[in-house]
Amino acid sequence: MEALGGYPTKSSNQKAKKLTVLLSMTVGVGCLFLLQTQLVRQRKHNDFYSFEVQDAKGRTVSLEKYRGKASLVVNVASHSEQTEANYMFLQELHRELGPSLFNVLAFPCGQYGDTEQGTSRDIEAFARSTYGVTFPFFSRIKILGSQSDPAFKFLTDSVQKIPKWNFWKFLVSPEGKVLRFWRTDEPMESVRQEATALVRELILKKRVEL
């Protein structure tokens, strides 16, 4: 209600001040919450093992279970010209070095031509029945574009390279840091040497701790 002459009353001024203070406090609290959420998110995802992903059956899996081990993370495909050679090599490496200190972690991706189709369960079942692989499989992901999987994006951001085809390989340390990556056409023997050397370091470290 206004006084004669159009001037606001003292009561109106007090209400306006209270409303302004309330709005300012609300905005301030909101900003602090967003800032805190961002900081927590940054702390939470400072290494590969801090992420959660979906397995081939659609269940949420924490990569934390692989912390303390070396990992070779690979974007796999079922119908690529490199599929057979890579699956045979990856399974051999997984059998030789893992799984107590080393794991191959397979992430199917269908963004490279028609090399990966079907559901995540179908992809996993095909690899296991056709090539006898035993290493962990996860849900099919996207690597290219704005919908790229956060865990895999951590790998590509770490090396500042995005896979141009299937079967790029990322060697991840026991602490979750990316040590090296290999393109599809690079020698697999180099992958074996680097992964083996990292596992040997882990073995020596554990012996010293004992």
Side-chain angles (χ1 to χ4, degrees):
M1 181 176 180
E2 295 184 352
L4 295 177
Y7 294 102
T9 65
K10 184 177 180 181
S11 176
S12 298
N13 286 333
Q14 290 176 340
K15 288 181 180 179
K17 288 180 180 179
K18 288 181 180 179
L19 182 60
T20 301
V21 171
L22 182 61
L23 287 173
S24 298
M25 290 177 63
T26 302
V27 172
V29 170
C31 291
L32 286 173
F33 176 76
L34 290 174
L35 179 61
Q36 183 180 17
T37 301
Q38 185 176 5
L39 290 173
V40 169
R41 187 175 300 167
Q42 289 175 348
R43 289 198 300 269
K44 184 178 179 182
H45 297 315
N46 58 359
D47 65 77
F48 180 68
Y49 299 127
S50 65
F51 288 87
E52 289 184 342
V53 296
Q54 302 291 314
D55 68 9
K57 296 178 177 61
R59 299 171 300 193
T60 299
V61 177
S62 173
L63 293 174
E64 192 69 34
K65 64 189 293 185
Y66 301 107
R67 187 178 298 280
K69 304 177 184 181
S71 299
L72 188 68
V73 187
V74 188
N75 62 306
V76 301
S78 302
H79 305 289
S80 172
E81 59 185 13
Q82 297 92 1
T83 297
E84 182 175 358
N86 273 275
Y87 272 155
M88 292 178 66
F89 166 74
L90 293 172
Q91 174 58 25
E92 183 179 337
L93 193 64
H94 184 75
R95 187 182 66 249
E96 289 178 0
L97 302 180
S100 61
L101 294 176
F102 173 84
N103 284 286
V104 171
L105 304 179
F107 286 81
C109 179
Q111 291 183 295
Y112 301 100
D114 296 323
T115 57
E116 191 66 284
Q117 302 174 359
T119 67
S120 299
R121 287 192 179 198
D122 292 339
I123 293 167
E124 180 186 35
F126 174 79
R128 300 208 186 288
S129 62
T130 307
Y131 301 105
V133 302
T134 59
F135 45 80
F137 260 77
F138 299 95
S139 179
R140 190 170 69 172
I141 63 168
K142 289 185 177 180
I143 294 174
L144 308 175
S146 60
Q147 294 182 323
S148 59
D149 177 80
F152 212 93
K153 189 174 187 303
F154 174 85
L155 303 178
T156 59
D157 285 349
S158 296
V159 299
Q160 294 296 297
K161 296 288 182 182
I162 298 176
K164 293 180 172 58
W165 196 242
N166 310 299
F167 294 104
W168 278 42
K169 304 166 185 71
F170 298 81
L171 184 61
V172 179
S173 74
E175 296 76 34
K177 304 301 181 183
V178 182
L179 300 178
R180 185 175 171 182
F181 77 98
W182 292 265
R183 297 175 178 84
T184 311
D185 57 353
E186 293 187 84
M188 286 188 250
E189 189 56 35
S190 173
V191 180
R192 184 193 304 275
Q193 291 174 0
E194 294 283 346
T196 301
L198 182 56
V199 171
R200 284 175 179 167
E201 287 181 12
L202 274 172
I203 293 173
L204 291 174
K205 182 180 179 181
K206 287 184 179 295
R207 286 178 180 174
V208 171
E209 291 175 350
L210 292 175

